[in-house]
Amino acid sequence: MTTEHFRMSESELSEPELFRAAEIISNGGLVAFPTETVYGLGGNAFDAGAAAKIYAAKGRPQDNPLIVHISEPSKLSEVADIVPEKARLLAEKFWPGPLTMILPKKSTIPDETTGGLKTVAVRCPDNRIARELIKRAGCPIAAPSANLSGRPSTTKFSHVAEDLDGRIDAIIDGGDSAIGLESTIIDLTGEVPEVLRPGYLSVKDLSEVIGEVHMDVPVEIKGGLEFVKEEKEEGHPKAPGMKYRHYAPKGRLYLVQGNEGDVIRYINKLAEAAIDEGHTVGVGATTDTKERYRFGRVLDMGLSQDEEQLAAGLYDVLRQFDTIGADIIYMEYIDGGRLKEALHNRLRKAAFQMLYAPRPMQSSRRRRIIFVEGHGNARSAMACALFGRLYEGSDMEALSRGIVVLFPEPLNQKTEAVMVSNGLAVEGFVSQQLSDSEIEQDTMLFAMEERQRRQIISRYPSATEENTHLLSEYVGDELEIMDPYGGSLQTYGICFEVIRSSVQKLSDKILEEKTYG
Ligand code: TXA
Ligand code: MG
């Protein structure tokens, strides 16, 4: 079958193409269309034959019911037999929008659409293309997410084409999905309403409108992780779709949980080992952490604090791992903020295994790190303060020292300005001359320039090739950290950023040794 492609936007609908798409639906065919959550694969909800085609196109088990989409909240009574007060209140507040309600079904909805259930899942999507399509088709549209069964849902036209081209009649390209996660599903047929699938709207959002709402526990704790086990048990999740491994990339996805630094170090360690074994490794990082990964293809999922962006891009990232051919994927178990319920639910279902990043061992002896430069009141002071901030309260101690300190000086003025604007403590700083007695057995010295490193080794008996390093070289950077002296405030600012990045890598490397030996 050749799949027709139509293209439009919510602000500029294409009338002839909408008409054509609606015609396909009313003739029993299938059209994939955009919604604000993910793309849907639509067919006439009153037509048992269309439902059968949907299952076949997706390769989806027939017991997994479809969501019925309506064009207006007022159409709810055309598909639901009983509309309780709470459903009315929720529709009023959240429709059109990312909320699906389970209600007793009308007899006009065939069993094929609901997977044999006497209930129906209904949603009025907040996307003009979707609603205008439903309106023109003249029937509600049954639509699961428009992906092959088990794969990540689709949030872009290219995703849909990749999975369904040749398997369905048409795809409407309406741009990227705004939300990127499937709707929240709430079951209103029991005594207390129950969330069966978390989504953009949280339990809290819903209970603010209708009072008590339960979270179906199995949905929350059963991820793809427990999938294998679950299959053997008599587990019977209420939303049939939730029992399958879902949203999964082709490679094995490992979610890594723990403190940010521990997670990064663990992923670096695992990725390096997996690459050595010949695997193609993908790493799911955030914009904030991506530079700290040293191995594998690192994909940026977005800013760690911007859960909306993380959600909107999640399925695209999962699919990109397939594109790069990753057979092993390590991903940060992002916090998820307001969307934690939904993001964690999807990630766990997509994952092969959850890993916990080990903590570094604390030793009883304090270990000393000395940053050294000429006068000891600019670059070394910045590095020392940055390192100290990363290691506050730990068994590491950082010092800033000079090679030539004729008399104790305060911080260089521009250094002080840059440090203050970056929230670092500057009070009471005076430069100090490096003394040989400070170089203890496992002390490490870090110079900013190679010339200075050699000076240190030649002048201090305890400084050796083994314990005295060029900072940039030690962390795998190419360029020495040059003296900003005489430069503008901006020059100092740039120097600070270079040092910040090097010190971060240094800390990762030292902690890697402390954790893994
Ligand atoms: O955001 C969404 O909901 C997207 C867009 C296209 O609207 N649709 C979507 O459909 O995610 P799908 O088929 O991928 O997921 C539907 C979920 C499945 O877990 C299914 O088991 C559940 O809804 N479901 C459907 N009808 C149900 C019913 N009568 N009772 C319980 N669960 C039901
Ligand atoms: Mg789906």
Side-chain angles (χ1 to χ4, degrees), residues 33 35-41 58 60 63-67 69 98 100 102-103 113-114 117-123 125 143-147 153 181-185 187 196-197 238-243 246-247:
F33 61 96
T35 85
E36 82 281 29
T37 57
V38 298
Y39 272 76
L41 169 55
K58 270 187 73 106
R60 173 170 178 152
D63 69 344
N64 193 353
L66 309 174
I67 293 178
H69 296 73
T100 296
I102 310 285
L103 295 165
T113 299
T114 63
L117 297 173
K118 293 297 156 214
T119 52
V120 63
V122 195
R123 180 162 109 80
S145 49
N147 52 280
S153 300
L181 294 178
E182 304 79 355
S183 60
T184 305
I185 302 181
D187 182 353
L196 307 186
R197 178 175 74 184
K238 297 197 179 91
M242 300 310 280
K243 76 183 174 206
H246 255 64
Y247 320 114

Side-chain angles (χ1 to χ4, degrees), residues 182-460:
E182 304 79 355
S183 60
T184 305
I185 302 181
I186 185 166
D187 182 353
L188 293 162
T189 61
E191 210 146 281
V192 180
E194 205 171 17
V195 168
L196 307 186
R197 178 175 74 184
Y200 186 79
L201 297 172
S202 67
V203 169
K204 185 166 163 281
D205 294 329
L206 303 176
S207 61
E208 272 167 16
V209 179
I210 55 168
E212 194 182 6
V213 171
H214 286 172
M215 180 75 164
D216 182 26
V217 179
V219 173
E220 203 182 19
I221 60 166
K222 284 185 188 162
L225 316 170
E226 290 86 10
F227 167 66
V228 180
K229 191 174 61 187
E230 199 181 308
E231 225 182 9
K232 294 189 195 119
E233 287 170 1
E234 289 302 292
H236 195 274
K238 297 197 179 91
M242 300 310 280
K243 76 183 174 206
Y244 303 104
R245 180 148 180 237
H246 255 64
Y247 320 114
K250 290 170 188 153
R252 284 188 171 189
L253 169 62
Y254 294 89
L255 288 175
V256 186
Q257 201 171 11
N259 287 352
E260 184 183 272
D262 297 344
V263 166
I264 294 167
R265 287 188 299 276
Y266 196 35
I267 292 182
N268 274 330
K269 161 115 182 128
L270 293 168
E272 184 180 22
I275 290 168
D276 277 350
E277 282 169 23
H279 291 287
T280 301
V281 173
V283 173
T286 61
T287 311
D288 332 44
T289 58
K290 65 180 179 198
E291 253 132 51
R292 292 167 67 188
Y293 289 101
R294 305 200 308 273
F295 307 98
R297 277 290 299 275
V298 182
L299 298 187
D300 181 355
M301 303 189 283
L303 289 164
S304 66
Q305 297 304 313
D306 186 351
E307 59 265 16
E308 309 256 332
Q309 189 194 7
L310 291 168
L314 178 66
Y315 293 136
D316 188 49
V317 167
L318 291 178
R319 280 173 178 268
Q320 279 183 48
F321 285 123
D322 290 346
T323 312
I324 63 174
D327 62 333
I328 292 201
I329 299 155
Y330 299 108
M331 189 183 262
E332 294 175 15
Y333 193 49
I334 43 180
D335 173 67
R338 197 191 73 75
L339 298 177
K340 188 179 198 141
E341 279 169 8
L343 277 166
H344 283 191
N345 170 273
R346 303 307 189 273
L347 285 173
R348 294 177 68 100
K349 287 195 165 292
F352 177 74
Q353 204 181 327
M354 188 79 127
L355 302 173
Y356 294 85
R359 300 248 56 211
M361 278 170 291
Q362 293 275 328
S363 66
S364 49
R365 270 195 55 212
R366 268 167 89 80
R367 182 161 187 195
R368 185 172 287 162
I369 304 289
I370 310 180
F371 296 99
V372 192
E373 66 166 340
H375 298 300
N377 69 345
R379 287 169 291 174
S380 60
M382 294 181 195
C384 177
L386 284 163
F387 194 87
R389 183 157 73 180
L390 290 173
Y391 280 93
E392 224 171 81
S394 85
D395 54 357
M396 305 282 278
E397 167 188 47
L399 304 176
S400 164
R401 293 291 182 264
I403 308 173
V404 205
V405 182
L406 302 178
F407 46 89
E409 272 186 294
L411 283 171
N412 163 304
Q413 268 189 10
K414 285 170 187 162
T415 300
E416 177 171 330
V418 169
M419 284 174 62
V420 167
S421 73
N422 280 281
L424 290 167
V426 295
E427 291 80 36
F429 179 94
V430 279
S431 60
Q432 292 180 52
Q433 172 86 35
L434 174 64
S435 106
D436 199 61
S437 63
E438 290 173 315
I439 308 173
E440 296 175 348
Q441 208 188 355
D442 56 0
T443 294
M444 295 172 92
L445 296 134
F446 290 98
M448 304 291 150
E449 297 168 40
E450 177 58 19
R451 185 178 55 86
Q452 294 178 339
R453 188 183 77 90
R454 276 188 269 110
Q455 272 175 10
I456 297 166
I457 294 174
S458 69
R459 289 186 201 172
Y460 292 85

Side-chain angles (χ1 to χ4, degrees), residues 16-250:
E17 291 183 306
L18 258 188
F19 179 84
R20 172 76 193 121
E23 189 178 56
I24 293 172
I25 299 266
S26 44
N27 289 335
L30 305 185
V31 177
F33 61 96
T35 85
E36 82 281 29
T37 57
V38 298
Y39 272 76
L41 169 55
N44 180 351
F46 291 140
D47 181 352
K53 282 189 198 167
I54 290 175
Y55 291 115
K58 270 187 73 106
R60 173 170 178 152
Q62 305 247 356
D63 69 344
N64 193 353
L66 309 174
I67 293 178
V68 173
H69 296 73
I70 54 179
S71 61
E72 298 294 334
S74 63
K75 304 272 183 187
L76 176 56
S77 51
E78 290 180 17
V79 295
D81 209 22
I82 301 163
V83 180
E85 174 67 4
K86 285 176 183 168
R88 218 184 41 71
L89 288 170
L90 288 174
E92 207 163 86
K93 172 84 182 176
F94 297 115
W95 274 1
L99 179 68
T100 296
M101 297 196 263
I102 310 285
L103 295 165
K105 83 173 180 72
K106 268 249 147 70
S107 57
T108 44
I109 302 287
D111 282 347
E112 283 76 2
T113 299
T114 63
L117 297 173
K118 293 297 156 214
T119 52
V120 63
V122 195
R123 180 162 109 80
C124 179
D126 185 15
N127 178 292
R128 206 168 145 236
I129 300 170
R131 296 217 313 280
E132 293 299 324
L133 173 69
I134 304 166
K135 210 182 279 176
R136 281 164 184 70
C139 57
I141 293 185
S145 49
N147 52 280
L148 289 175
S149 189
R151 295 210 67 205
S153 300
T154 50
T155 52
K156 287 172 181 297
F157 167 76
S158 61
H159 299 163
V160 186
E162 180 180 75
D163 277 18
L164 298 173
D165 246 347
R167 303 173 73 94
I168 61 175
D169 299 283
I171 305 172
I172 302 179
D173 176 358
D176 297 355
S177 306
I179 291 178
L181 294 178
E182 304 79 355
S183 60
T184 305
I185 302 181
I186 185 166
D187 182 353
L188 293 162
T189 61
E191 210 146 281
V192 180
E194 205 171 17
V195 168
L196 307 186
R197 178 175 74 184
Y200 186 79
L201 297 172
S202 67
V203 169
K204 185 166 163 281
D205 294 329
L206 303 176
S207 61
E208 272 167 16
V209 179
I210 55 168
E212 194 182 6
V213 171
H214 286 172
M215 180 75 164
D216 182 26
V217 179
V219 173
E220 203 182 19
I221 60 166
K222 284 185 188 162
L225 316 170
E226 290 86 10
F227 167 66
V228 180
K229 191 174 61 187
E230 199 181 308
E231 225 182 9
K232 294 189 195 119
E233 287 170 1
E234 289 302 292
H236 195 274
K238 297 197 179 91
M242 300 310 280
K243 76 183 174 206
Y244 303 104
R245 180 148 180 237
H246 255 64
Y247 320 114
K250 290 170 188 153

